[in-house]
Amino acid sequence: MTATLMPKSEPTTAAAAAALSRRERQVMDILHRRSGATVAEIMGDLPDPPTYSAVRSVLRILSEKELITHREDGPRYIYYPAKPTETARDDVLAHVVRTYFGDSPEQAVTALLRMSDVDLTDADVKRLRGTIRRARQSGR
């Protein structure tokens, strides 16, 4: 049986996320990593940060693409990813498996295990076996 990974998001959101510029992707990565950030925090995390206005422009574009939201906190805005990081992670991983591993989760896991810095303990292996067993039982 061949397992396939399908993204759980709407196609328009997934398509918008796939069409990000380098700077937009960097900002989204920061927002997911921090679970929200101000413009100043984003600037502090960006490599070779652009001007404040340029970061605000990137945030406006991401908002128009419906990839981020914000809330007011006194005089400043705090920006957040529009969808939970877990959902975004699932979508990105599904895309990577489809694109680079021929839709084969087995090949993707094998590649992860071959990475030189992966050092699984016996407890890690036991948890992975349990996860695989539960996935098989639920039909995934």
Side-chain angles (χ1 to χ4, degrees), residues 6 16-18 22 31 44-45 47 49 61 73-74 78-80 83 85 91 98 121 123 126 128 131 135:
M6 298 300 295
R22 176 183 58 88
L31 293 177
D45 286 0
I61 291 165
D73 182 34
I78 301 176
Y79 296 89
Y80 300 92
K83 62 181 173 177
T85 298
D91 291 348
R98 262 192 325 276
T121 65
K126 185 176 181 178
L128 282 170
T131 301

Side-chain angles (χ1 to χ4, degrees), residues 53-105:
S53 296
V55 173
R56 289 289 310 263
S57 291
V58 169
L59 291 166
R60 180 186 47 76
I61 291 165
L62 290 171
S63 181
E64 288 171 359
K65 292 181 178 183
E66 299 180 359
L67 295 174
I68 65 168
T69 61
H70 70 273
R71 73 172 172 80
E72 291 184 43
D73 182 34
R76 63 189 185 157
Y77 286 155
I78 301 176
Y79 296 89
Y80 300 92
K83 62 181 173 177
T85 298
E86 184 175 309
T87 302
R89 180 177 43 219
D90 290 348
D91 291 348
V92 168
L93 188 54
H95 170 76
V96 167
V97 171
R98 262 192 325 276
T99 303
Y100 298 102
F101 296 99
D103 219 10
S104 170

